[in-house]
């Protein structure tokens, strides 16, 4: 059986097959009330989609405007017949639908499709959205429908058009369009042209008997368009008393020459039947942009509520609009306009209304202005589903672009826009729409092409974009009937008046945009974190916009972001010191996260336009750096991790795994040649000129032509780890350097044999690089300098000898320089060198990239990456450093140097958060929360401790108050293990892993100890706490907790608590009872005065991880305890019963590196607000007030809940920083807002965290009573 429209075979179904409806993942427009199905169309659509799934994954439904493409597609998706059952079998994961339109907001559309598949992370730009779609849809079986596509540039932002990804074999893209030739021929699109309606189908839409004499004439005048026929049929039914079928035919015929479009002609005639008020209401819809669903409450505000309900019903009955319920049945109704209906009202409004369409925008702004809670403050407008999303568009269309620009630079607007809409993607698009085309420093390392960037929110287009819209309007005005007479194009929507963005405003826009982009992954989950993120990222930024945003963020934080369930307080946390967040204007430009495993190798071409990456996920990816970092090719032919990649101009790419080498064509993304059959495993490969390539396998170097023919070989003395080539002078001569496993570098000269038949190789010299493997090498372009990175953590540089030593073939870098050590603390996996040889970048397993000034041998830049650096390149234009680890990151080299200069200046003046040279070993705070102290080892060149480095801090500013080093004999290697600060903040006790304790003056820090106690414990001291003005306590691996008198300089109490050592402890306010955690024992609640164990906190899980407690805290009344254990759980306990009340699971995967909690002093000292942290850069805020009132004997079975579960009602927020958090310090008792107990009323609610690189970061708990 074949369909009469298309000739496609119709699928056959068994009668016993159960009927099922398709799973709709997004909003799919409902069918009109007068919907008439077309015979066999569902079967043809199914056949087209099925064929596309087997071929290219792309299929289209095309036809003229008004022919029912959207309705036919929606009917196909919403059907419940046999075709729907078969469709669900093909795509069991469902269908996601998006309307694209002429001027799409691509970023929001990409985000909506991703949300349909559970991916909630906000997008940086459209290139990021494209890459995320490739990633999220990989391996799925689903259908994506893109309705009303006008440009191929829009289509390719959602799907690959050149080559179908191997992981997309179960994904099909169905798009509707008016243009049969929209997609390129090589895309392999399966096309279905929507045929004309039959006379029977047309008469059904008209509501006219088939034998009526005027049927043929009306069908012709309506061009067999379902929409035009529906409008005429509704007109006849509504105006039955005044118009006959013959009258309608005459009126339509009279307009045929004036308005060739059948749909707009039908609307024009039907609109004559509207009342003057209803017609005016209809024409005022011209104020809205294309393809926007309009919430009815917003229409009531904008157009007036008097009679609006009746007008909407009337327009709906005439098929001018459709009123739809919100997706999933919730929310207000929405109005949808067909684009031809919107064209009609825009054309008519421009011709009939005084002031044209611009006057409508002014009226809309006037209506919204009257609804503001505070006159003149747009951020106090109504949250009606349209105001915050559309205001900028209407300001610009009304000629108030300068006001739109000023509005987005107001903190109050940014905060209100995000708070009410919870749409960070839309807010980012708002700012992008006002930036000049080259004005987005945050999103792309190079200016993006027009096709790569989404237009502004709600289509606030640039003049260039409006010019395109005018050109498209000519095509849009085509008549619905293919044979209709030619027509004039309607007037295009007027462009908003062009306005210049000053340098100052551009900088301000970029600042605000960068805050949003850096925080988007957080704001997408919790928009309330904008003040926290903005404050932290702008602390050290000196600009008017930064100051304004920072002030607004602090004001918002002071009121409290998160209200406790009791309703008595609202709380928040404000950053105090810089360094906790990636700074605005910092070096990180982009992150590319499409690889699913380690990125092992990177290479960039000569003009810095293409990047090739290879990964352990067995794929090779090609990125277009000149076009918003868009993924150009996803190449997947390897069966093993990709070990090496190389690129030859923009023509060829090379990739190598342990078994084979593949050459790829970059113009079509095709496999050109595969070379295999090697005896031993391969390690790396490189291009040699434009016709050859070199491959390394153990000790053997092999050379091949691009056709795969062997052209030479050379043998080394040891296995090859790395290869690098350069072409110093001759076009037929190269220098090849091989990094080897025996700490050597072999330097070869390669020549092309006469006739180009092969490669000759000559060993020039063997160089020595340290004592371990040389994993990375890099030449300067001229070959006059070679740099290598070794497993002995050092860099090695070789330069060419003086001029007299050069050979006629060109220089060879054989003159060695002293090794550069101290830059890294682990293997160096990657090196890169600037073309002039002035700068060298290195990266390794220590998660750090260093930039070295070759002349001075001093570091001039540093990057911290969350995972080991596996690969790295520097672009030839010296603008970017690109790193490969768990993802790909693009860094600005100039900003990297600027950041280093700022950091050095901060360290010299003891600025906030800077000062320690190694990881902090101890961190503590005074009782009033004003002074903090931190300590680390002062290491010498051999990494041995030469003393104790102590810094005192101001908690209010985060600035260092003073610093000293307590010298210690190097042979004793005395390393600090913990620290505590006296209540007044004037003294500190530092304990060491050699069981010594040091009493030191703190204000200012003094290098001469006040007291040194040798052998304070029999083993390493692990924890300490200051109890009162004269007393502090220590806990050691000998299992004892000892109490010490400062005045008497002696131990006044020693109690054995844990057999395997005390790991952490927290004293109650009476200083007699203590909660302590052992190394591998459950926590114990002990009375030191009576030396008795009051209870043991047992969770029922006796595993090592549950017993190992990394941090613990007590409520002020000591009736509740909070513990953080190495099984990633936070537990709440009742004391003194030791009963477990609640367990919160899966807080972090990195608890062994840093995990703890602290309780605030709530009303009556009860449990309430709790702050916890983990190494994964997160601060958790908890409200456990209800557990303070729970009687242990009446408590239900302890509930264990996942921290991200809806059942976890205690979590207020998860605040995200950009540094790992290792240690936490707070005042011993710090009050909640409104708590005015004598002991804690004057205490500053300070939090201090240390990271793993010597940084200390300060925060302040903010809030207000009542919320």
């Amino acid at each position: 059986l074949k369909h009469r429209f298309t000739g496609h075979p119709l699928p056959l179904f068994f009668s016993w097959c159960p009927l099922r409806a398709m799973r709709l993942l997004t909003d799919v427009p409902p069918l009109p009330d007068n919907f008439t199905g077309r015979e066999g169309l569902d079967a043809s659509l199914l056949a087209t989609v099925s064929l596309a799934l087997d071929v290219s994954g792309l299929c289209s439904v095309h036809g003229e405007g008004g022919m029912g493409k959207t309705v036919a597609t929606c009917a196909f998706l919403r059907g419940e017949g046999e075709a729907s059952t078969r469709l669900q079998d093909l795509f069991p994961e469902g269908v996601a639908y998006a309307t694209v339109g002429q001027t799409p907001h691509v970023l929001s559309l990409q985000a909506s499709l991703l949300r349909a598949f559970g991916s909630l992370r906000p997008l940086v730009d459209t290139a990021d959205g494209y890459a995320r779609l490739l990633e999220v849809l990989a391996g799925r079986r689903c259908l994506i429908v893109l309705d009303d596509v006008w440009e191929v540039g829009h289509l390719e932002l959602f799907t690959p058009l050149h080559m179908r990804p191997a992981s997309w074999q179960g994904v099909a893209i169905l798009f509707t369009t008016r243009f049969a030739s929209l997609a390129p021929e090589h895309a392999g699109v399966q096309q279905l042209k929507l045929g004309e309606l039959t006379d029977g189908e047309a008469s059904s839409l008209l509501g006219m008997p088939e034998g009526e004499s005027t049927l043929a004439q009306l069908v012709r005048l309506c061009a067999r368009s379902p929409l035009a026929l529906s409008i005429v049929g509704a007109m006849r039914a509504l105006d039955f008393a005044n118009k006959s079928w013959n009258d309608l035919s005459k009126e339509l015929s009279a307009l045929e020459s004036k308005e060739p479009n059948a749909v707009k002609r039908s609307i024009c005639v039907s609109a004559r039947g509207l009342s003057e008020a209803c017609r005016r209401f209809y024409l005022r819809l011209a104020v809205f942009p294309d393809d926007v669903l309009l919430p009815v409450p917003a229409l009531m505000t904008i157009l007036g509520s008097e009679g609006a309900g009746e007008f909407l019903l009337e327009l709906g009955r005439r098929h001018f609009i459709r009123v739809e319920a919100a997706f999933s049945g919730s929310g207000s109704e929405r109005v949808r306009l067909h684009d031809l209906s919107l064209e009609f009202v825009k054309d008519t409004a421009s011709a009939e209304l005084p002031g044209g369409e611009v006057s409508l925008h002014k009226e809309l702004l006037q209506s919204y202005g009257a609804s503001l809670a505070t006159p003149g403050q747009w951020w106090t407008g109504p949250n009606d589903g349209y105001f915050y999303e559309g205001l900028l568009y209407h300001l610009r269309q009304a000629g108030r672009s300068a006001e739109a620009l000023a509005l987005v630079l107001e903190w109050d607007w940014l905060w209100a826009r995000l708070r009410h809409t919870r749409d960070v993607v839309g807010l980012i698009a708002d700012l992008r729409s006002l930036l000049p085309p080259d004005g987005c420093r945050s999103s792309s390392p190079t200016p993006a092409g027009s096709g790569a960037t989404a237009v502004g929110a709600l289509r606030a287009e640039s003049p260039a974009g409006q010019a395109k819209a005018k050109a498209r309007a000519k095509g849009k005005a085509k008549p619905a009937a293919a044979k209709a007479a030619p027509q004039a194009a309607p007037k295009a929507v007027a462009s908003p008046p062009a306005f210049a963005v000053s340098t100052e405003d551009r900088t301000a826009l970029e600042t605000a945009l960068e805050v949003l982009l850096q925080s988007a992954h957080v704001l997408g989950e919790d928009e309330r974190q904008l003040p926290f993120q903005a404050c932290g990222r702008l602390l050290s930024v000196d600009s008017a916009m930064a100051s304004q945003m920072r002030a607004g963020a602090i004001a918002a934080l002071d009121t409290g972001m998160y209200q406790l369930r009791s309703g008595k307080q609202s709380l928040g946390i404000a950053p105090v010191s810089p360094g906790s967040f990636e700074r605005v204007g910092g070096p990180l430009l982009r992150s590319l996260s499409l690889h699913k495993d380690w990125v092992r190798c990177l290479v960039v071409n000569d003009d810095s336009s293409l990047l090739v990456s290879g990964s352990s996920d067995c794929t090779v990816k090609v990125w277009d750096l000149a076009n918003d970092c868009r993924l150009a090719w996803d190449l997947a032919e390897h069966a093993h991790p990709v070990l090496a990649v190389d690129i030859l101009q923009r023509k060829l790419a090379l990739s190598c795994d342990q078994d084979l080498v593949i050459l790829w064509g970059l113009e079509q993304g095709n496999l050109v040649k595969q070379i295999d059959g090697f005896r031993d495993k391969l390690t790396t490969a490189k291009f040699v000129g434009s016709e050859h390539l070199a491959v390394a396998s153990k000790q053997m170097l092999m050379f091949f032509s691009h056709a795969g023919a062997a052209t030479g070989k050379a043998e080394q003395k040891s296995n090859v780890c790395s290869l690098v080539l350069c072409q110093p002078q001759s076009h037929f001569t190269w220098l090849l350097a091989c990094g080897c496993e025996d700490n050597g570098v072999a330097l070869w000269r390669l020549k092309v044999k006469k006739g180009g038949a092969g490669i000759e190789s000559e060993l020039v010299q063997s160089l020595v690089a340290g004592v371990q493997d040389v994993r990375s090498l890099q030449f300067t372009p001229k070959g006059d300098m070679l740099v290598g990175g070794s497993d002995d953590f050092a860099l090695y540089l070789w330069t060419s000898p003086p001029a007299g030593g050069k050979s006629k073939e060109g220089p060879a870098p054989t003159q060695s320089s002293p090794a550069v050590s101290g830059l890294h603390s682990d293997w160096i996996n990657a090196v890169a060198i600037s073309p002039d040889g002035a700068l060298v970048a290195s990266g390794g397993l220590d998660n750090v990239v260093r930039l070295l000034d070759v002349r001075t041998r001093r570091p001039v830049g540093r990057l911290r990456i969350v995972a080991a650096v596996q690969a790295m390149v520097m672009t030839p234009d010296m603008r970017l450093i690109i790193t490969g680890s768990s993802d790909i990151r693009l860094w600005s080299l100039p900003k990297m140097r600027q950041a280093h200069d700022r950091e050095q200046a901060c360290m010299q003046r003891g600025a906030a958060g800077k000062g320690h040279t190694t990881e902090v070993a101890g961190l503590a705070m005074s009782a009033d929360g004003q002074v903090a102290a931190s300590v680390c080892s002062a290491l010498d060149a051999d990494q041995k401790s030469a003393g104790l480095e102590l810094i005192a801090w101001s908690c209010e500013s985060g600035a260092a108050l003073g610093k000293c080093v307590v010298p210690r004999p190097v042979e004793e290697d005395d390393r600090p293990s913990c620290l505590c600060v006296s209540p007044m903040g004037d003294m500190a006790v530092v304990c060491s892993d050699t069981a010594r304790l040091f009493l030191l003056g703190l204000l200012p820090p003094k290098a001469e100890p006040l007291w040194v106690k040798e052998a304070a414990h029999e083993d390493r001291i692990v924890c300490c706490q200051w109890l009162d003005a004269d007393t502090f306590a220590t806990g050691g691996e000998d299992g004892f907790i000892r109490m010490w008198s400062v005045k008497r300089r002696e131990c006044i109490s020693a109690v054995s608590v844990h057999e395997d050592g005390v790991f952490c402890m927290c004293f109650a306010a009476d200083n007699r009872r203590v909660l302590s955690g052992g190394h591998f024992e459950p926590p114990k609640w002990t009375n030191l005065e009576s030396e008795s164990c009051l209870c043991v906190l047992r969770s029922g899980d006796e595993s090592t991880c549950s017993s190992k407690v990394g941090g613990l805290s007590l409520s002020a009344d000591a009736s509740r305890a909070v513990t953080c254990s190495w099984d990633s759980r936070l537990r709440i306990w009742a004391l003194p019963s030791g009963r477990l009340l609640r367990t919160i699971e899966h807080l972090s995967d990195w608890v062994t590196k840093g995990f703890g909690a602290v309780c605030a002093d709530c009303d009556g000292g009860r449990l309430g607000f709790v702050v916890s942290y983990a190494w994964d850069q997160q601060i958790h805020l908890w409200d456990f007030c209800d557990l303070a009132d729970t009687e242990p004997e009446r408590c239900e079975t302890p509930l264990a809940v996942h921290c991200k579960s809806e059942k976890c009602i205690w979590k207020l927020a998860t605040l995200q920083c950009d540094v790992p958090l290792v240690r936490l310090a707070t005042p011993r008792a710090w009050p909640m807002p409104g708590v005015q107990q004598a002991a804690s009323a004057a205490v500053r609610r300070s939090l201090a965290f240390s990271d793993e690189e010597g940084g200390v970061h300060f925060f302040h708990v903010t809030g207000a009573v009542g919320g």
Side-chain angles (χ1 to χ4, degrees), residues 890-1046:
L890 283 69
W891 308 83
S892 167
L893 193 151
K895 290 183 179 180
M896 180 181 176
R897 300 193 67 174
Q898 294 169 11
H900 180 267
D901 293 341
R902 284 195 304 268
E903 184 172 337
Q904 293 300 308
C906 288
M907 293 186 67
Q908 289 176 6
R909 65 175 184 264
K914 302 297 180 182
H916 282 297
T917 55
T918 59
E919 183 175 347
V920 173
L923 181 66
M925 194 175 293
S926 62
D928 61 1
Q930 299 291 339
V931 177
S934 56
V935 67
C936 75
S937 296
L939 302 180
D940 64 7
D942 296 326
Q943 300 297 302
K944 291 188 177 181
S945 180
L948 314 175
E949 185 179 272
L950 180 68
I951 299 180
W953 305 91
S954 166
C955 297
E956 185 174 1
S957 65
L961 300 174
K963 176 179 178 179
C964 73
V965 175
V966 180
R968 297 297 301 163
V970 174
E971 60 271 13
E972 294 185 3
D973 200 20
D974 230 344
R975 297 177 183 259
S977 56
C978 58
L979 170 145
C980 59
V981 173
S982 66
M984 298 299 293
D986 58 340
M987 291 185 291
V989 168
V990 177
C991 303
S992 74
D993 56 5
T994 56
R996 294 183 177 92
L997 62 84
F998 302 83
L999 179 65
L1000 302 167
L1002 192 57
L1003 293 178
K1006 296 179 180 178
E1008 182 66 30
L1010 302 174
W1011 174 41
V1012 178
K1013 174 61 178 175
E1014 301 284 347
H1017 281 256
E1018 295 179 3
D1019 207 334
R1020 178 173 178 261
I1021 303 174
V1022 181
C1023 53
C1024 58
Q1025 181 178 348
W1026 209 298
L1027 304 180
D1028 57 37
D1030 181 54
T1031 311
F1032 65 90
T1034 58
E1037 291 188 348
D1038 57 3
F1040 278 82
I1041 294 178
R1042 300 179 185 270
M1043 300 177 70
W1044 304 84
S1045 170
V1046 175

Side-chain angles (χ1 to χ4, degrees), residues 442-461:
S442 309
S443 64
S444 176
T446 53
S450 59
T453 306
V455 295
L458 299 174
R459 275 63 70 183
E461 287 191 318

Side-chain angles (χ1 to χ4, degrees), residues 33-246:
D33 295 336
N34 69 331
F35 170 71
T36 298
R38 304 194 194 188
E39 180 184 354
L41 183 55
D42 282 357
S44 290
L45 278 167
L46 179 60
T48 302
V49 173
S50 300
L51 185 60
L53 192 62
D54 294 336
V55 183
S56 66
L58 296 171
C59 55
S60 70
V61 176
H62 65 91
E64 301 294 343
M67 291 304 293
K69 301 180 295 295
T70 297
V71 173
T73 303
C74 293
F76 175 56
L77 301 178
R78 287 181 169 274
E80 297 183 355
E82 293 179 343
S84 177
T85 301
R86 174 59 178 155
L87 188 66
Q88 191 173 17
D89 291 337
L90 291 175
F91 308 107
E93 295 186 67
V95 58
Y97 180 101
T99 300
V100 180
Q102 285 193 83
T103 53
H105 183 193
V106 176
L107 204 63
S108 291
L109 294 176
Q110 290 172 329
S112 68
L113 293 175
L114 289 166
R115 282 195 300 270
F117 294 96
S119 179
L120 304 179
R121 192 183 80 195
L123 305 175
V124 174
D125 53 27
T126 55
D128 183 36
Y130 174 82
R132 292 282 307 288
L133 284 169
L134 285 181
E135 177 184 15
V136 169
L137 297 181
R140 294 185 180 271
R141 296 174 61 193
C142 60
L143 175 65
I144 306 297
V145 177
L146 303 174
D147 185 36
D148 195 24
V149 180
W150 284 75
E151 293 185 6
V152 67
H154 297 153
L155 182 62
E156 66 181 357
L157 290 172
F158 296 91
T159 178
L161 297 182
H162 301 284
M163 185 175 67
R164 186 184 191 183
S167 59
W168 270 37
Q169 298 305 308
V171 179
I173 306 293
L174 169 64
F175 62 94
T176 69
T177 181
R178 299 186 183 188
F179 314 108
S181 59
L182 180 74
E185 291 185 5
H186 64 75
V189 178
Q190 305 301 309
Q191 297 184 343
L192 173 63
K193 181 178 180 180
L194 202 60
E196 297 179 344
L197 296 177
T198 64
D199 287 346
E201 293 165 342
S203 66
S204 177
L205 288 173
L206 284 170
M208 173 191 289
E210 288 195 46
E212 189 73 31
S213 59
T214 56
L215 175 62
Q217 175 71 356
L218 283 173
V219 170
R220 185 191 68 79
L221 290 169
C222 291
R224 296 187 181 271
S225 162
L227 181 56
L229 290 165
S230 298
I231 292 171
V232 173
M235 179 172 31
R236 163 66 173 159
L238 293 171
D239 302 332
F240 179 79
N242 301 320
K243 294 183 179 180
S244 66
W245 291 115
N246 191 49

Side-chain angles (χ1 to χ4, degrees), residues 785-860:
M785 180 179 290
L786 175 67
V787 61
S790 169
D791 285 359
D792 60 9
F793 316 162
L795 282 177
Y796 298 88
L797 291 92
W798 298 271
T799 56
S800 298
K806 290 185 180 179
S807 66
K808 62 182 180 179
E809 290 86 358
T814 58
Q815 184 169 300
S816 63
S817 300
V820 181
S821 58
L823 297 177
H824 294 274
S825 59
D826 212 327
W827 293 359
I828 298 176
N829 286 335
V831 294
I833 190 168
S834 62
D836 59 3
L839 297 173
V840 169
S842 57
L845 294 182
D846 57 358
N847 304 0
V848 173
V849 172
R850 294 278 191 174
L851 189 63
L852 180 75
D853 185 312
V854 174
R855 183 181 63 83
T856 64
R857 295 296 198 270
R858 296 178 63 88
V860 293

Side-chain angles (χ1 to χ4, degrees), residues 445-446 603-612 622-630 632 647 649-650 666 875-877 879-880 882:
T446 53
V603 67
V604 68
N605 68 336
D606 292 339
D607 64 1
S608 307
S609 62
L610 290 180
L611 170 71
V612 182
V622 183
W623 310 84
D624 189 350
L625 299 182
N627 198 9
D628 225 8
C629 298
R630 186 185 300 180
I647 190 170
Q649 301 172 352
R650 294 180 63 92
L666 295 181
T875 56
D877 57 14
R879 295 177 62 247
L880 298 176
I882 306 175

Side-chain angles (χ1 to χ4, degrees), residues 1123-1168:
T1123 63
C1124 300
S1125 55
W1126 280 15
D1127 58 2
S1128 301
R1129 290 174 169 88
L1130 182 147
R1131 294 180 172 89
I1132 310 298
W1133 309 82
L1135 298 178
S1137 67
R1139 182 164 183 174
L1140 178 63
L1141 301 179
R1142 288 292 185 276
T1143 300
I1144 313 296
E1145 300 178 324
H1146 303 292
L1147 261 70
S1148 171
D1149 292 330
W1150 300 94
V1151 294
T1152 59
K1153 293 190 174 184
F1155 189 26
V1158 63
C1159 303
D1161 185 359
C1162 298
D1163 293 332
R1166 302 183 308 165
L1167 178 69

